[in-house]
């Protein structure tokens, strides 16, 4: 088992700042692009920092000697330098690295740019909230919402060029789409590659720019989004709509996240795929049995209350719950609460005395 504290050269009670500082020193020393660097040791330091900089993973590592969230079959981590060089986090897109980002470290030294080249340009993710009734959440719904966001220019269809205008090679990057810059930092000298801001990485520019978007290919406007809410969603659930976020000049759009808020219902409470409702019955109905009309999400139905039912006992009404899978539904559980009389007439007391005499 790897000793991540020993790799970074810190004690087990090291603070977050001490761990970050230790990693910076090792990254400076072993960075593969630096003369005398060591890619293997750089990977080890990066892996150690990934674990110890995340509170949850550090706690798991301190307790079990390894981490579990997002890990592979062996429960360990493998730093993928090629993935990091492509703009990833170095761990193959594994989950659980929301707080860990090597870009935060290298951004201090490279002005926010990765030393391995620019990643794909992408628009900003956006989120909205939608409120649903209990019935809409159970059976599904559709909504159309109006969002003001950066979207593809309708005039030029995202091309950034006036209609009929030809495209010419970008003079800023000589048609390559990228610019290379050499910067001096205390890591040493590094050559970085970034998308050309003039042509937005396309390598070409229109001879005459679109007047509506000024050649950017995107404009801010209101856009109607059609949101399909599937049946059986829960309160707080999130729907991800890829490519429906904000558009980026020269790149793809981000994602839209729709957070669902389900209003409470006065009759029903959800328990998994089942629904729970409560009915109150008289003592005589509980003893002798009865027929009662109850509410369901599909309309009112009649149910039979069996004689001798106990307080708190439930009656199951099949397939009146939450839809799930292909054509399947949960059940409706009707909880029976017996209303005991607070005052009894003389005649009622006499009848109960007779029942007690019979051992009831």
């Amino acid at each position: 088992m790897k000793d991540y504290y020993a790799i970074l050269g810190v004690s087990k009670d090291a603070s977050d700042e001490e761990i970050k500082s230790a990693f910076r020193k090792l990254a400076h020393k072993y960075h593969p692009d630096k003369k005398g660097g060591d890619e293997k040791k750089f990977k080890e330091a990066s892996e150690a920092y990934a674990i110890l900089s995340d509170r949850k993973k550090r706690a798991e590592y301190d307790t079990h000697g390894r981490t579990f969230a997002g890990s592979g079959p062996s429960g360990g981590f493998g730093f993928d330098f090629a993935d990091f060089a492509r703009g990833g986090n170095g761990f193959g897109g594994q989950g659980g690295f929301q707080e860990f980002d090597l870009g935060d470290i290298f951004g201090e030294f490279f002005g926010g740019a990765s030393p391995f080249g620019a990643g794909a340009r992408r628009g900003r993710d956006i989120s909205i909230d939608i409120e649903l009734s209990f019935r809409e959440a159970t059976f599904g719904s559709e909504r159309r919402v109006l969002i003001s966001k950066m979207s593809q220019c309708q005039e030029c269809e995202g091309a950034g060029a006036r209609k009929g205008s030809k495209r010419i090679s970008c003079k800023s990057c000589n048609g390559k789409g990228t610019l290379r810059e050499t910067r001096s930092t205390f890591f040493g000298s590094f050559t970085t590659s970034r998308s050309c801001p003039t042509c937005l990485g396309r390598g070409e520019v229109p001879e005459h720019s679109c007047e509506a978007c000024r050649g950017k290919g995107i404009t801010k406007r209101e856009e109607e989004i059609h949101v399909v809410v599937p049946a059986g969603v829960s309160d707080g659930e999130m729907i991800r709509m890829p490519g429906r976020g904000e558009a980026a000049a020269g790149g793809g759009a981000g994602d839209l996240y729709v957070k669902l808020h389900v209003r409470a219902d006065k009759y029903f409470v959800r328990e998994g795929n089942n629904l729970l409702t409560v009915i109150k019955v008289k003592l005589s109905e509980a003893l002798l049995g009865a027929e009662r009309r109850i509410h369901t999400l599909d309309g009112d139905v009649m149910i039979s209350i069996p004689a001798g039912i106990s307080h708190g006992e439930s009656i199951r009404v099949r397939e009146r719950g939450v839809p799930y899978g292909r054509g399947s539904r949960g059940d409706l559980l009707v909880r029976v609460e017996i209303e005991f009389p607070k005052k009894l007439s003389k005649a009622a007391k006499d009848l109960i005395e007779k029942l007690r005499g019979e051992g009831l």
Side-chain angles (χ1 to χ4, degrees), residues 288-305:
L288 303 175
E291 296 286 322
R292 288 288 295 273
R293 182 180 297 275
I294 64 164
H295 295 293
T296 76
L297 290 176
D298 304 277
D300 292 354
V301 297
M302 295 294 294
I303 63 169
S304 295
I305 299 171

Side-chain angles (χ1 to χ4, degrees), residues 113-299:
S114 164
F116 308 101
R121 191 177 181 89
R122 184 176 178 273
R124 188 171 62 94
D125 293 341
I126 56 177
S127 63
I128 60 172
D129 294 76
I130 288 181
E131 188 177 65
L132 302 170
S133 68
F134 194 86
R135 182 182 177 82
E136 287 176 320
T138 302
F139 294 114
S141 177
E142 295 187 20
R143 293 290 180 87
R144 293 189 179 274
V145 293
L146 202 61
I147 301 175
S148 179
K149 64 185 183 75
M150 297 301 296
S151 303
Q152 185 183 80
C153 176
Q154 293 180 310
E155 183 68 25
C156 65
E157 298 179 345
R162 186 191 301 173
K163 288 186 178 179
S165 175
K166 65 179 183 179
R167 306 189 72 83
I168 58 177
S169 179
C170 176
K171 295 180 180 179
S172 298
C173 62
N174 294 320
K176 294 180 180 179
T178 57
L179 297 176
R180 297 180 69 82
E181 298 177 346
T182 300
R183 300 185 185 185
S184 296
T185 72
F186 65 79
F187 274 165
S189 295
F190 293 92
T191 300
T192 61
S193 177
R194 64 186 178 92
S195 180
C196 175
T198 304
C199 65
L200 304 174
R202 297 186 181 109
E204 295 180 330
V205 294
E207 189 174 26
H208 300 288
S209 298
C210 171
E211 295 177 358
C213 64
R214 297 181 181 180
K216 294 182 179 179
I218 58 173
T219 57
K220 189 164 187 176
R221 60 182 175 85
E222 288 189 332
E223 184 177 337
E224 187 178 71
I225 306 291
H226 181 212
V227 180
V228 178
V229 180
V233 296
S234 302
D235 182 58
E237 213 169 315
M238 194 84 77
I239 297 174
R240 175 175 171 261
M241 300 180 68
R244 302 312 300 269
E246 289 205 327
D255 299 336
L256 171 65
Y257 290 87
V258 183
K259 188 171 184 178
L260 306 175
H261 301 273
V262 181
R263 293 195 299 269
D265 190 88
K266 65 179 181 179
Y267 293 114
F268 307 105
V269 174
R270 181 172 174 176
E271 291 186 349
N273 292 322
N274 294 329
L275 297 178
L276 173 65
T277 190
V278 176
I279 61 169
K280 297 182 183 296
V281 300
K282 297 177 181 179
L283 178 59
S284 59
E285 292 176 319
L287 292 171
L288 303 175
E291 296 286 322
R292 288 288 295 273
R293 182 180 297 275
I294 64 164
H295 295 293
T296 76
L297 290 176
D298 304 277

